[in-house]
Amino acid sequence: MSGSDKELRDEDLRALGRSAAELSHELRNLLVGVVAEADLLAAGQSKDPRAAAGRIRAAAISCKALVDDVLALSRREPLPDESVQLGAFLEDLRDGFFRKRGSEIVLSLPSEEAWILGRRAALHRLLLNLLRNADQAAPEGAIEVTLDRLGRRHRITIRDEGPGVPADLAEKIFDPFYSSGKKGGTGLGLALARRVAEEHGGRLELDAGSEGGACFVLELPAAERPEPQPGPSRDDGDRGSGLRLLCIDDDETTRETYRMILGLEGHDVDCARDGKTALELAARRDHDVVLLDLRLPDMKAEQLVEDLKKVDPTLSDRIIFATGDLMNEESRRFLARAGRPYLAKPFRIEDLRLAIELMTRD
């Protein structure tokens, strides 16, 4: 190993050590309340069990978000190849954000459609991080989102009505684990957003000359409108108001969670613990959506997908993967090849609902 290679390796190890230390610090802080609340609940000493459960849930969600952001920041994703209409994408994001937070979002779109090539999940995370950042800066104020065209690039500006960002912090806010004193968050949102922008051949900057709040500018390469593709046709039969879902997971708790949550949503849920049972269920009944864990006891997910195609050629277009193994290189390569939506375990009920909604939207 040359001297320069050793220096690069040593610097990588030091950076990894710093990140691990920061991650450990943040997780320990979040878990303090979880352990204390759980101890009180176990001893029957909690004054308000419902409120305690809510605080434990909030802390668990924050832990998941922190781990998800660290994993996303530490890996390079494959090149984007999915056509995304930015106007419609921003409208969906605005509507979903408004339903959850109630913030006023003023959206300005061009008269012509704006297309890019990108990964929807990554772009959703990028823009959602920017909206959350704006909402935290001014919870009672409006958020202005503008989309326009600059030559061969599309530009999205997101402006809030908060106090703005001091000039000396304009670059620091993009550093991993940097915190400007805001409560909540992982300290990785802006670092991850910039990484995603760069992976898409774009850039994300803070407009330092902006007055009256912070203004983030995202630029992404423009793409041509794709040729329309015919969607799969099938006879749905009489389904009523709900969907018919096939949930495949070897973990009993996960299957029961699917059955409980989706049943409450009015859906008809079939569950299978392995590939063989899943194929039998798929052969007997038609399903609108398949939730498939990557690790099954009797076969690989890739093989099951091919076998499901033999049962119903259109079924592979309705699969949502679920996994807790995103650090595994084989899993990441498979998800990249499959090009299907996926949920990272543990996922929130809202994430599950959104994935199913997007899968079944006309």
Side-chain angles (χ1 to χ4, degrees):
M1 180 183 296
S2 67
S4 59
D5 289 340
K6 184 177 184 301
E7 290 177 2
L8 288 174
R9 186 198 66 178
D10 290 345
E11 178 55 34
D12 286 343
L13 289 174
R14 285 192 292 270
L16 178 62
R18 289 193 296 269
S19 295
E22 293 284 359
L23 176 61
S24 174
H25 173 75
E26 297 296 332
L27 285 174
R28 286 176 182 274
N29 283 341
L30 289 167
L31 291 172
V32 167
V34 172
V35 173
E37 297 277 13
D39 283 345
L40 291 174
L41 285 170
Q45 297 176 340
S46 177
K47 294 182 179 180
D48 189 343
R50 187 182 183 89
R55 289 190 289 270
I56 290 175
R57 177 181 180 275
I61 289 172
S62 295
C63 287
K64 177 190 180 300
L66 180 58
V67 173
D68 285 348
D69 283 352
V70 169
L71 293 178
L73 197 61
S74 67
R75 64 177 182 264
R76 292 287 181 178
E77 299 285 358
L79 293 176
D81 59 2
E82 184 180 4
S83 295
V84 179
Q85 208 278 77
L86 277 178
F89 191 82
L90 287 171
E91 288 178 329
D92 288 343
L93 189 65
R94 175 201 59 190
D95 295 343
F97 191 84
F98 179 81
R99 285 197 300 269
K100 290 181 180 179
R101 293 178 178 253
S103 301
E104 180 187 2
I105 298 179
V106 181
L107 182 59
S108 300
L109 300 176
S111 57
E112 297 182 355
E113 292 183 346
W115 290 90
I116 63 168
L117 293 178
R119 299 185 308 278
R120 287 181 175 272
L123 289 168
H124 184 272
R125 180 188 287 265
L126 186 168
L127 291 164
L128 190 59
N129 278 336
L130 294 180
L131 288 178
R132 285 172 175 164
N133 197 70
D135 183 63
Q136 290 170 356
E140 303 300 324
I143 302 172
E144 295 182 9
V145 180
T146 304
L147 170 63
D148 54 27
R149 180 78 177 257
L150 291 175
R152 296 185 176 182
R153 300 171 80 81
H154 295 299
R155 179 179 63 186
I156 300 172
T157 59
I158 297 180
R159 185 189 305 273
D160 62 56
E161 296 181 349
V165 180
D168 59 331
L169 301 181
E171 280 301 313
K172 290 183 180 179
I173 61 174
F174 291 101
D175 291 342
F177 294 106
Y178 174 79
S179 174
S180 58
K182 293 184 300 182
K183 293 184 179 180
T186 65
L188 295 172
L190 290 177
L192 180 59
R194 175 172 274 186
R195 162 69 69 81
V196 172
E198 292 172 350
E199 287 179 346
H200 283 72
R203 69 183 188 94
L204 173 64
E205 304 290 346
L206 174 71
D207 184 357
S210 175
E211 296 182 0
C215 179
F216 288 90
V217 180
L218 170 66
E219 292 185 6
L220 296 168
E224 298 297 325
R225 179 188 178 121
E227 293 294 328
Q229 299 293 325
S233 60
R234 59 195 179 90
D235 181 12
D236 288 331
D238 183 11
R239 295 297 183 82
S241 60
L243 301 171
R244 185 173 293 159
L245 305 174
L246 176 57
C247 304
I248 312 165
D249 201 295
D250 64 334
D251 181 71
E252 183 178 358
T253 300
T254 301
R255 294 197 304 274
E256 289 306 310
T257 299
Y258 280 142
R259 198 186 304 276
M260 175 183 64
I261 293 172
L262 298 173
L264 289 172
E265 299 281 323
H267 302 311
D268 184 2
V269 183
D270 287 330
C271 287
R273 69 171 302 275
D274 53 36
K276 179 177 181 295
T277 307
L279 289 169
E280 292 172 354
L281 289 169
R284 290 202 301 264
R285 307 180 75 189
D286 193 18
H287 295 90
D288 298 287
V289 177
V290 177
L291 292 165
L292 173 57
D293 183 48
L294 286 191
R295 291 195 172 188
L296 297 174
D298 60 341
M299 68 176 67
K300 291 185 176 181
E302 190 166 10
Q303 180 60 54
L304 180 55
V305 170
E306 293 303 314
D307 290 345
L308 286 171
K309 287 181 181 178
K310 297 174 184 177
V311 175
D312 180 351
T314 71
L315 204 54
S316 61
D317 296 324
R318 306 194 296 278
I319 293 177
I320 301 171
F321 292 107
T323 182
D325 196 25
L326 287 176
M327 285 301 289
N328 183 289
E329 182 64 26
E330 182 180 359
S331 297
R332 296 205 305 271
R333 286 200 300 266
F334 169 71
L335 289 172
R337 289 196 307 273
R340 305 301 306 156
Y342 65 86
L343 296 167
K345 295 180 179 179
F347 46 80
R348 302 177 62 183
I349 295 175
E350 292 86 348
D351 297 330
L352 177 60
R353 287 171 178 156
L354 178 61
I356 294 174
E357 179 185 345
L358 292 176
M359 182 66 60
T360 57
R361 182 176 296 171
D362 293 333

